[in-house]
Amino acid sequence: MNQLKKLLIIGFVWPEPNSSAAGGRMMQLISIFAANGFEITFASAAQDSDFMVDLSELGVIKKSIELNSATFDSFLLELNPDVVLFDRFMIEEQFGWRVIENCPKAIRILDTEDLHCLRTARQKAFKEKRTFEMTDLFSEEVAKREIASILRCDLSLIISEFEMKILKENFRISSELLFYLPFLVDKMSEDDLLQLPLFEDRQHYVFIGNFLHEPNWNTVQYLKEAIWPSIKKDFPEAVLEVYGAYPSQKVLQLHQPKNGFFIMGRAANANEVVKKARVVLAPIRFGAGLKGKLLEAMQCGTPSVTTPIGSEAMHGNLPWNGFVEDDPQEFAKKAITLYKDENLWKQSQKNAVAIIHQCYQKNNYSDELTDLVDRLLIDSTNHRLHNFMGSLLQHHAYKSTMYMSKWIEAKNKN
């Protein structure tokens, strides 16, 4: 009998699939590895949250760990994982050197979630009221940290084809270190649309997004100040419901029922909320990665109006399930048209089915990923031999991280 393979996932937070796309992404990764016969342990130094998933129901072992503590070393030695998956580059920085020191043979995988340096550089350019240039990435400190983390790992999971292009062409990362893994969903056909609420049974516009994520807060501000007044002027009966986990007081202050602008807070079931809406509005002005809210809209048969940033790398060469528009006045006009034109609305639904079929089928990616991980388990030595820059960064960069961590650990004991 083959020995059970062990996967250790070190999480930035405990997964909350109903709060964020990142939580849903983590559930997909757990599903892929579980189906490939891995025994999975999920460890995190984060505090428990009210909305975290019950990992035990998934057959996943939950382990709370400490930052800057030798107790993690003991835990690693006892578990002796075959594969370690880091949830974002900050986690690899914190724990990667300990994994190398205690379990040098373990395959190290980084799930980037999205390119943080791209999101940060775009946000900075937006706040400085200038056009983002690709060269902006090279001056970001977070880019140096993130790219170093990618180089140190055996494999990095990249969620966006646009970000794959940036890593290969701008940062000159070898394709052998990267694996394109978008959001993964079940098959959907046009027949499935018949099981969803009909055009006439839906009402209102909706936006949904975790408010701990800065692009979401900025999107709601933009909706309130620049787009919603134009929609209400030409469509007085219009209602927008804004849902999202962790709304702050500044978000709640935008609640204005007299103007049809409702801040609804956390959605108990985001899927049901989106299914009942007629149109999703997502005028996202900066960010990176893929937008889980827009893929969810497609699955719910709910057309959307978004920006080029929102639709980036999400639909290949296929027509969008609604409209993509940057100008706020045109955005408002398209939002009204999509809401009122039933034939256009139904065609947009069909566009979504085609996008899901071409871009997000689980079977197109999951088997390839597990086969790649299995090959790395068999011959990691040869793979690492060809990643000289990664070994160089391990040698130098980890020394500073390691000694800082050990200094904090010693300080905490005193």
Side-chain angles (χ1 to χ4, degrees), residues 5 37 94 101 103 113 138 150 156 211-212 223 228 240 249 262 264-265 291 312 328 334 357 359 382:
K5 294 175 290 187
Q94 181 71 42
E101 206 172 59
C103 301
E113 293 287 355
F138 300 126
I150 289 171
S156 289
F211 285 108
L212 296 178
L223 272 168
W228 193 244
L240 171 63
Q249 190 57 41
F262 291 82
M264 309 297 290
K291 312 306 179 290
E312 180 180 270
K334 297 286 174 58
H357 177 74
C359 303
N382 187 53

Side-chain angles (χ1 to χ4, degrees), residues 175-204:
S175 58
E176 292 185 358
L177 299 178
L178 308 173
F179 184 82
Y180 171 58
L181 190 72
F183 292 125
L184 305 176
V185 300
D186 294 327
K187 290 181 180 179
M188 186 176 184
S189 69
E190 290 188 13
D191 289 341
D192 293 322
L193 295 175
L194 302 175
Q195 309 303 316
L196 297 168
L198 303 173
F199 175 86
E200 59 268 23
D201 296 328
R202 296 172 181 243
Q203 62 177 351
H204 305 331

Side-chain angles (χ1 to χ4, degrees), residues 229-282:
S230 297
I231 291 177
K232 286 295 285 184
K233 180 183 175 183
D234 295 330
F235 184 16
E237 312 89 63
V239 170
L240 171 63
E241 295 181 338
V242 176
Y243 288 86
Y246 304 106
S248 64
Q249 190 57 41
K250 63 183 179 181
V251 176
L252 297 173
Q253 285 175 352
L254 297 181
H255 184 65
Q256 196 175 17
K258 289 182 180 179
N259 196 34
F261 200 96
F262 291 82
I263 303 296
M264 309 297 290
R266 173 184 287 274
N269 187 319
N271 201 264
E272 289 302 314
V273 164
V274 179
K275 279 180 183 176
K276 291 175 182 176
R278 188 175 289 181
V279 174
V280 166
L281 300 181

Side-chain angles (χ1 to χ4, degrees), residues 64-120:
S64 292
I65 54 177
E66 296 179 344
L67 297 171
N68 305 304
S69 172
T71 57
F72 181 76
D73 300 340
S74 303
F75 160 66
L76 265 182
L77 287 168
E78 183 177 350
L79 182 64
N80 192 27
D82 300 286
V83 179
V84 177
L85 189 149
F86 304 103
D87 173 23
R88 289 166 255 204
F89 80 90
M90 302 83 79
I91 292 298
E92 188 276 339
E93 283 184 328
Q94 181 71 42
F95 294 100
W97 66 271
R98 292 184 184 274
V99 172
I100 286 177
E101 206 172 59
N102 294 283
C103 301
K105 292 184 179 180
I107 302 303
R108 301 182 302 278
I109 301 176
L110 172 64
D111 183 33
T112 58
E113 293 287 355
D114 59 35
L115 275 188
H116 292 66
C117 60
L118 177 61
R119 174 154 40 96
T120 301

